Amino acid sequence: CLRSSVGVAEFTPVTWERIGGLEEVKLKLRQSVEWPMKFPEAFVRLGVCRARGVLLYGPPGCAKTTLVKAAASSSHCSFLTLSGAELYSPYVGDSEKALAQLFCQARACSPSIVFLDEIDSMVGCRDNGGGCRGSSVQAQVLSVLLNELDGVGFKPAERRGTGQSERDWRTREDQRMQLQEVCNQDVMIVAATNRPDMLDSALLRPGRFDHIIYVPPPDLQARLNILQLHTEKMPLKSDVCLQDLATRTDLFSGADLENLCKEAALLALHEEGMSVSAVQQKHFQKVLQNFQPSLSPQQI
Ligand code: ATP
């Protein structure tokens, strides 16, 4: 039996503008996920194959999940999600069956995005010496996923005959059939990991996760954007200098910056009382004194 949280996920829609920095990543994700979902006809017309799977990798707390939610929101498609921890939860039962069932559900409510978080903990790795490093269940889960990556997605129809010109090949009938195929099987698999080195190389072969996108930690400008976004609804005293805070938050992930803002507001309530009207620079500074950023210099 599937736990109710495994499957179609409900979440507050996220717009691309709510994600600070990461302009290049956002563009790549729009091209590989949003455009084929929103404009399948254009992809068929130009004979472009869309990616079967997209893999996001990078340090924790730097917006991988938020980016996928933004892609699902802007594509107006169903969003189904599963993490490694959920898949192996005792409530789920047979993990490989749960994963197969998730894909069945995704096809039933397509167009859809299946988001596999912490994919490294979901599947085993058979590289570096014969057997699967993980359990036999992980090996079975890997096999289900490989089958899905091979079966899901849009394969353009084979060119018929050899004497046909490019123009002849793309007849209206071909396009109609391809479009039908796209609409029937419109399931995009997006996965995220902090440990791409732990992934079985079979997943990374062409035709599977063919778009691999690095989501970097925020640089100075991105940190400023993130601080602006997370203080948007927070009244700030005029002494608050977000530029200064951005400079002093090297090694902070986006999640750390969000926490910093929340903690500063809580400290303002604690120190000034419940009638406090705005957060001051000193509140941010005090929080910063004891804040351990979650990134290490190696991750930058
Ligand atoms: P993990 O690898 O731990 O799953 P993640 O990379 O998927 O983390 P998210 O879950 O997307 O990170 O982000 C965590 C929180 O940090 C979110 O609530 C999000 O609002 C905030 N955050 C992270 N990066 C950004 C960003 N660039 N702009 C705005 N908010 C951000």
Side-chain angles (χ1 to χ4, degrees), residues 249-264:
T249 46
D250 205 22
L251 300 180
F252 277 54
S253 66
D256 290 339
L257 294 166
E258 185 180 10
N259 271 340
L260 167 67
C261 298
K262 281 186 191 157
E263 291 293 325

Side-chain angles (χ1 to χ4, degrees), residues 18-20 22 59-66 117 194 226 230 254-255 258:
R18 301 299 311 163
I19 301 172
L22 298 173
C62 292
K64 295 184 294 298
T65 307
T66 314
D117 202 4
N194 305 321
I226 296 169
H230 288 290
E258 185 180 10

Side-chain angles (χ1 to χ4, degrees), residues 18-203:
R18 301 299 311 163
I19 301 172
L22 298 173
E23 296 310 325
E24 226 173 283
V25 172
K26 287 191 243 178
L27 178 62
K28 281 191 194 156
L29 209 51
R30 294 186 76 165
Q31 287 172 339
S32 50
V33 178
E34 182 189 317
W35 292 359
M37 289 273 178
K38 266 173 112 168
F39 312 110
E41 306 88 347
F43 276 68
V44 168
R45 199 182 325 114
L46 297 188
V48 182
C49 289
R50 60 161 229 200
R52 306 236 178 109
V54 175
L55 177 69
L56 301 179
Y57 73 98
C62 292
K64 295 184 294 298
T65 307
T66 314
L67 284 160
V68 185
K69 286 181 178 171
S73 309
S74 61
S75 311
H76 307 293
C77 63
S78 313
F79 181 72
L80 296 92
T81 184
L82 187 58
S83 69
E86 282 171 326
L87 187 62
Y88 293 109
S89 139
Y91 297 104
V92 165
D94 289 344
S95 306
E96 68 282 7
K97 283 191 193 143
L99 186 63
Q101 210 170 329
L102 183 81
F103 283 108
C104 273
Q105 212 182 339
R107 275 188 282 277
C109 62
S110 70
S112 53
I113 290 177
V114 172
F115 176 51
L116 305 175
D117 202 4
E118 310 156 14
I119 189 174
D120 51 288
S121 66
M122 214 174 259
V123 293
C125 178
R126 300 162 304 179
D127 303 346
N128 310 324
C132 188
R133 189 171 52 225
S135 64
S136 64
V137 180
Q138 275 183 316
Q140 285 164 19
V141 166
L142 174 63
S143 150
V144 170
L145 183 57
L146 291 176
N147 283 341
E148 287 297 337
L149 281 161
D150 292 340
V152 167
F154 160 55
K155 293 186 200 126
E158 294 285 315
R159 288 180 191 216
R160 289 196 230 97
T162 47
Q164 284 180 309
S165 71
E166 190 80 4
R167 198 171 288 263
D168 288 340
W169 169 66
R170 284 199 231 126
T171 60
R172 277 178 192 278
E173 183 57 13
D174 276 338
Q175 290 192 6
R176 193 190 62 73
M177 283 169 58
Q178 287 179 11
L179 253 180
Q180 202 169 22
E181 204 178 337
V182 170
C183 298
N184 287 344
Q185 305 189 6
D186 212 356
V187 177
M188 174 82 73
I189 303 175
V190 185
T193 181
N194 305 321
R195 295 292 312 269
D197 54 311
M198 299 286 283
L199 289 180
D200 193 292
S201 55
L203 285 169

